[in-house]
Amino acid sequence: MSPTAGRSRDPSRGRERAARILDAAEDLLLRHGARRVTVEDVAVGANIGKGTVYLHWETREKLFAAVFDRAVARAIAELLVAMRTRPSTCLPHHFAHDYFLAVMHRPLLRGLLLADPELLGRLARQHDPAWDERHHLVSERYFRLLAEYGVLRAELGADEVAYAFQATFEGFVRAEGELAGGENPALRSAAQPAVATLERRADLLARTVELAFENNRPVAADELRLLAADVVDLFTDLVDRRGFADLVDRRGFADRADRAELGTPAAS
């Protein structure tokens, strides 16, 4: 076997190339939206041939789906790290705060959460029922765990809190979209002075969630660690079932900050 052939089969080179493709696709999606981006555009952006893109992803839609999957995986990795290192992150108001910032720092996630048709194109209409069902189940189990540990207000059912939490969270995300990129300058200028920074808006979301859904009972440190461990297990299972395991290891830590090879084939 020639040295050139050996290098072409080097898995690290395949991973690096896949990461470069995903980076180029993400940049183009953010600038132009899925409808206006072709595989040829991505290949040019990644400085490779069009056929090389198809070695990694069979279709344009699968490539774009991998771009969004990577953004989701990185956000989940951040949350898992936070819960491992700071167990209080599993409490609804802290979780909302960190989740909100994770989404806001990733425009792809904001567009995905709000089903932005300009950004997603046909992907906005393509849902994986199994993934949607699993995500819903994890959400239900999360809030039931919180109820079991006595974190939620007694007069509210876990299912009610799950619905209201999601509605509240998405409301803040939508408001952020108007503030950052809406076409109404008057609305932006009116909102900006009152809640001037992204971090402050995340704090406001956290306070809203805390007052609306949580009781005032302090959670003991040992109990909090047990709750956090259960929540980590929930989200790790979601990661594994979605196929994100290559990006998040079993401890809940990202293997490397720049790992981006989601969807890379075994042969490269």
Side-chain angles (χ1 to χ4, degrees), residues 113-140:
L113 186 65
L114 299 179
D116 181 349
E118 283 298 314
L119 177 64
L120 298 175
R122 286 195 300 173
L123 292 174
R125 301 189 299 273
Q126 296 174 356
H127 295 287
D128 180 349
W131 163 249
D132 290 342
E133 181 179 354
R134 188 66 192 172
H135 185 273
H136 180 68
L137 182 59
V138 167
S139 177
E140 281 187 348

Side-chain angles (χ1 to χ4, degrees), residues 48-71:
I48 59 174
K50 176 182 173 181
T52 304
V53 176
Y54 287 116
L55 289 177
H56 292 269
W57 292 278
E58 296 174 354
T59 67
R60 187 181 74 126
E61 284 68 31
K62 287 183 178 180
L63 167 61
F64 291 167
V67 173
F68 287 100
D69 281 350
R70 182 177 67 164

Side-chain angles (χ1 to χ4, degrees), residues 227-248:
L227 173 58
D230 285 340
V231 175
V232 166
D233 285 344
L234 272 181
F235 282 91
T236 301
D237 182 59
L238 182 68
V239 165
D240 290 345
R241 288 176 181 270
R242 182 60 172 172
F244 294 158
D246 283 346
L247 295 180
V248 184

Side-chain angles (χ1 to χ4, degrees), residues 70-90:
R70 182 177 67 164
V72 172
R74 286 175 167 174
I76 292 175
E78 282 187 10
L79 292 171
L80 290 174
V81 169
M83 284 188 279
R84 285 288 192 185
T85 57
R86 193 179 76 246
S88 62
T89 304
C90 72

Side-chain angles (χ1 to χ4, degrees), residues 6-267:
R7 285 196 301 271
S8 69
R9 292 186 175 88
D10 182 355
S12 65
R13 292 190 57 166
R15 289 192 295 268
E16 186 277 332
R17 186 175 60 220
R20 200 163 71 246
I21 294 169
L22 290 172
D23 288 343
E26 178 174 344
D27 178 65
L28 289 165
L29 284 170
L30 288 172
R31 287 195 283 128
H32 304 298
R35 291 192 183 97
R36 299 181 181 90
V37 178
T38 67
V39 172
E40 289 90 342
D41 295 331
V42 175
V44 170
N47 196 28
I48 59 174
K50 176 182 173 181
T52 304
V53 176
Y54 287 116
L55 289 177
H56 292 269
W57 292 278
E58 296 174 354
T59 67
R60 187 181 74 126
E61 284 68 31
K62 287 183 178 180
L63 167 61
F64 291 167
V67 173
F68 287 100
D69 281 350
R70 182 177 67 164
V72 172
R74 286 175 167 174
I76 292 175
E78 282 187 10
L79 292 171
L80 290 174
V81 169
M83 284 188 279
R84 285 288 192 185
T85 57
R86 193 179 76 246
S88 62
T89 304
C90 72
L91 298 176
H93 67 288
H94 288 308
F95 184 86
H97 177 280
D98 288 9
Y99 184 21
F100 178 78
L101 289 179
V103 170
M104 287 303 104
H105 290 149
R106 295 175 175 84
L108 285 176
L109 280 188
R110 185 173 64 203
L112 185 64
L113 186 65
L114 299 179
D116 181 349
E118 283 298 314
L119 177 64
L120 298 175
R122 286 195 300 173
L123 292 174
R125 301 189 299 273
Q126 296 174 356
H127 295 287
D128 180 349
W131 163 249
D132 290 342
E133 181 179 354
R134 188 66 192 172
H135 185 273
H136 180 68
L137 182 59
V138 167
S139 177
E140 281 187 348
R141 288 180 176 175
Y142 169 62
F143 286 102
R144 287 176 186 171
L145 267 176
L146 294 172
E148 290 171 10
Y149 278 86
V151 172
L152 303 182
R153 296 171 66 97
E155 69 271 23
L156 297 174
D159 292 346
E160 293 175 318
V161 175
Y163 169 81
F165 176 93
Q166 190 65 24
T168 302
F169 185 86
E170 290 187 8
F172 269 74
V173 173
R174 289 183 185 279
E176 191 69 22
E178 290 291 332
L179 186 63
E183 296 180 358
N184 188 331
L187 179 62
R188 293 200 304 273
S189 62
Q192 187 65 35
V195 191
T197 67
L198 180 62
E199 182 65 38
R200 180 60 186 141
R201 294 191 289 274
D203 291 340
L204 182 59
L205 170 60
R207 186 62 173 153
T208 301
V209 168
E210 185 177 25
L211 290 173
F213 308 128
E214 298 179 38
N215 61 33
N216 294 321
R217 183 183 74 84
V219 182
D222 288 347
E223 193 174 13
L224 190 58
R225 282 192 291 271
L226 290 173
L227 173 58
D230 285 340
V231 175
V232 166
D233 285 344
L234 272 181
F235 282 91
T236 301
D237 182 59
L238 182 68
V239 165
D240 290 345
R241 288 176 181 270
R242 182 60 172 172
F244 294 158
D246 283 346
L247 295 180
V248 184
D249 72 17
R250 295 297 302 179
R251 295 171 299 157
F253 289 85
D255 293 335
R256 279 178 49 199
D258 62 345
R259 284 200 61 180
E261 60 271 26
L262 187 65
T264 304

